[in-house]
């Protein structure tokens, strides 16, 4: 059906966190990246450093092609402040 499904005990562990990494680091379309950042922002509250490391990697990659609004969203995601 095109949707990733994970067992509750695996939520945002292993494969799910890696899927969010691939989205954030590999997608060049802002809505796609924002979606990944959103998921990571929620993961910050449960998995702290594992999630913030992905966001830090994104910000460190110098995503100059993205809007200032998306970069601000990434900074908010680092704090778990996503909507």
């Amino acid at each position: 059906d095109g949707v990733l499904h994970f067992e509750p005990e695996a939520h945002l562990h292993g494969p799910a966190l890696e899927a969010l990494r691939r989205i954030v680091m590999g997608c060049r379309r802002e809505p796609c990246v924002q979606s990944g950042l959103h998921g990571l922002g929620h993961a910050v509250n449960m998995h702290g450093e594992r999630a913030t490391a992905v966001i830090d990697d994104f910000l460190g990659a110098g995503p100059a092609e993205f809007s200032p609004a998306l970069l601000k969203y990434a900074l908010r995601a680092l704090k778990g402040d996503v909507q």
Side-chain angles (χ1 to χ4, degrees):
D1 61 6
V3 176
L4 293 173
H5 295 280
F6 300 97
E7 297 300 318
E9 62 274 5
H11 182 66
L12 294 175
H13 286 281
L17 197 56
E18 182 55 33
L20 291 172
R21 173 183 290 282
R22 283 182 282 159
I23 290 168
V24 170
M25 298 304 292
C27 189
R28 296 294 98 198
R29 297 189 64 227
E30 285 205 17
C32 180
V33 175
Q34 184 174 357
S35 177
L37 289 169
H38 183 87
L40 288 165
H42 286 292
V44 165
N45 297 319
M46 294 185 295
H47 304 289
E49 203 171 290
R50 290 181 67 210
T52 59
V54 178
I55 301 167
D56 283 334
D57 288 348
F58 168 73
L59 290 168
E65 70 269 24
F66 295 120
S67 71
L70 184 67
L71 300 180
K72 285 180 186 175
Y73 192 78
L75 293 172
R76 288 182 32 220
L78 278 171
K79 301 174 190 169
D81 180 22
V82 292
Q83 305 173 29

